[in-house]
Amino acid sequence: MFSAEIEIMTQPQSLTSIPELRAQIRQWRAGDESIALVPTMGALHAGHIALVALARQHCRRVIVSIFVNPTQFGPTEDFLRYPRSLEIDLEKLASAGADAAYYPGANAMYPAGFATTISLAGPALAGLEDRFRPTHFQGVATIVAKLLLQASPDAAIFGEKDFQQLAVIRQMVRDLDIPVEIIGAPTFREPDGLALSSRNIYLDARQRTFAPDLHQAMQWAARRIREGVTIPDALRDASASISASGFVIDYLEVRDSATLAAPRTAQNPAELRLLAAARMGQTRLIDNIPVGG
Ligand code: PAF
């Protein structure tokens, strides 16, 4: 005798309000089911789908939130043109086996009179993304805190591509005693090394051919540091190569992976991370890799 398990592809539950989300969570909790949250801003790509798969390894139920959070965009940034593709996202989540898609409207998240935000220090002021996007992490931390309080998941999954964001969220969860396990997921890359990002669709065909040069130059710099080249020398040469590919560099820096502090003299490469942000035309790309390989 044997029994075959037939997996039937089901649509994820569509949840569009906080009460709907909480009702669904109560039902799962009543059955003693663990819950993972994957916060996203939609325009889902293979990297997000990998986050769903990772969430599934940790918890019985997976909720994916989709909310293009206005407060994390600066006044001159791409909030209005940020890609939005809810129907396609929901189809992708059905194939990925997510249990619920939570996509509240802006009024549910920021009702009239909304006045409370989270004030950050530590990794949020490391002088990387925050130097170029001074209000970004306050917006991220506030929305992520709200999502965690709304969904009360056992685990929440964030991509390592936004390395400083992950550090900010870990710090916030620790400081505010939010009872959730934060899980970082490795960056998902195109075969040519370009980190997947919803913003990659802004690149035109010519820019797309040069975009992987950022990651290649970063790998080169990391390899040279491992081989004993000094960090300033390796970064200077990599910067020249990145600029020659048509990028305008916002930053290219080596930092302590855990604290994002500047590296100590002769610090072990295994403890270091190389982080970059660079603009190709109107498109701003970020990336990071371990220096230790
Ligand atoms: O990484 C993102 O997509 C966003 O910053 C997040 C964590 C969903 C908050 O809006």
Side-chain angles (χ1 to χ4, degrees):
M1 278 277 282
F2 66 93
S3 67
E5 226 179 76
I6 299 171
E7 192 78 42
I8 298 169
M9 193 176 95
T10 48
Q11 291 299 319
Q13 283 291 327
S14 277
L15 309 169
T16 60
S17 69
I18 301 167
E20 272 176 30
L21 172 71
R22 290 205 165 124
Q24 179 61 81
I25 283 164
R26 266 197 306 279
Q27 193 189 322
W28 287 334
R29 292 287 184 207
D32 214 15
E33 296 181 317
S34 58
I35 298 169
L37 175 69
V38 181
T40 80
M41 299 206 300
L44 302 180
H45 50 64
H48 294 113
I49 302 307
L51 300 186
V52 174
L54 185 62
R56 170 103 22 265
Q57 287 170 25
H58 287 266
C59 291
R60 171 72 184 86
R61 298 289 183 181
V62 179
I63 304 172
V64 177
S65 66
I66 298 176
F67 182 67
V68 185
N69 173 35
T71 66
Q72 69 187 73
F73 290 81
T76 59
E77 291 180 4
D78 56 344
F79 174 65
L80 289 176
R81 70 178 187 127
Y82 194 84
R84 290 162 171 85
S85 53
L86 184 61
E87 293 305 313
I88 299 168
D89 288 349
L90 294 179
E91 282 167 25
K92 289 182 180 168
L93 291 181
S95 315
D99 296 285
Y102 174 48
Y103 46 101
N107 290 341
M109 285 308 215
Y110 296 111
F114 183 90
T116 305
T117 55
I118 294 194
S119 154
L120 302 162
L125 301 183
L128 298 165
E129 283 300 285
D130 51 296
R131 204 149 40 98
F132 298 88
R133 309 184 72 190
T135 57
H136 174 63
F137 287 122
Q138 189 182 72
V140 168
T142 303
I143 199 70
V144 170
K146 283 170 70 72
L147 289 166
L148 294 175
L149 291 167
Q150 290 168 5
S152 54
D154 299 283
I157 322 290
F158 297 87
E160 279 182 354
K161 186 181 145 268
D162 296 286
F163 199 77
Q164 191 178 3
Q165 166 174 284
L166 180 58
V168 169
I169 291 167
R170 285 192 196 284
Q171 179 85 45
M172 174 182 77
V173 161
R174 201 163 51 237
D175 290 347
L176 300 185
D177 306 309
I178 303 178
V180 64
E181 184 188 356
I182 300 298
I183 297 168
T187 301
F188 208 84
R189 297 184 183 279
E190 300 283 5
D192 60 15
L194 177 66
L196 261 61
S197 162
S198 305
R199 290 187 167 98
N200 289 352
I201 61 157
Y202 298 154
L203 296 167
D204 66 27
R206 189 171 171 282
Q207 291 170 334
R208 176 64 188 80
T209 61
F210 286 104
D213 294 359
L214 176 63
H215 180 240
Q216 271 162 32
M218 291 173 73
Q219 281 182 309
W220 178 50
R223 195 169 54 242
R224 293 181 75 212
I225 293 166
R226 286 198 299 278
E227 288 166 2
V229 175
T230 67
I231 292 175
D233 284 354
L235 295 185
R236 187 202 52 230
D237 295 345
S239 295
S241 156
I242 292 165
S243 302
S245 296
F247 282 101
V248 176
I249 298 173
D250 278 353
Y251 60 84
L252 176 71
E253 293 205 26
V254 169
R255 296 295 183 94
D256 182 288
S257 306
T259 64
L260 297 185
R264 298 187 307 276
T265 313
Q267 189 170 355
N268 184 344
E271 296 170 3
L272 300 176
R273 198 94 187 170
L274 174 57
L275 303 104
R279 285 170 282 125
M280 170 76 83
Q282 299 293 306
T283 310
R284 187 170 183 277
L285 302 180
I286 61 172
D287 204 344
N288 67 86
I289 57 170
V291 175

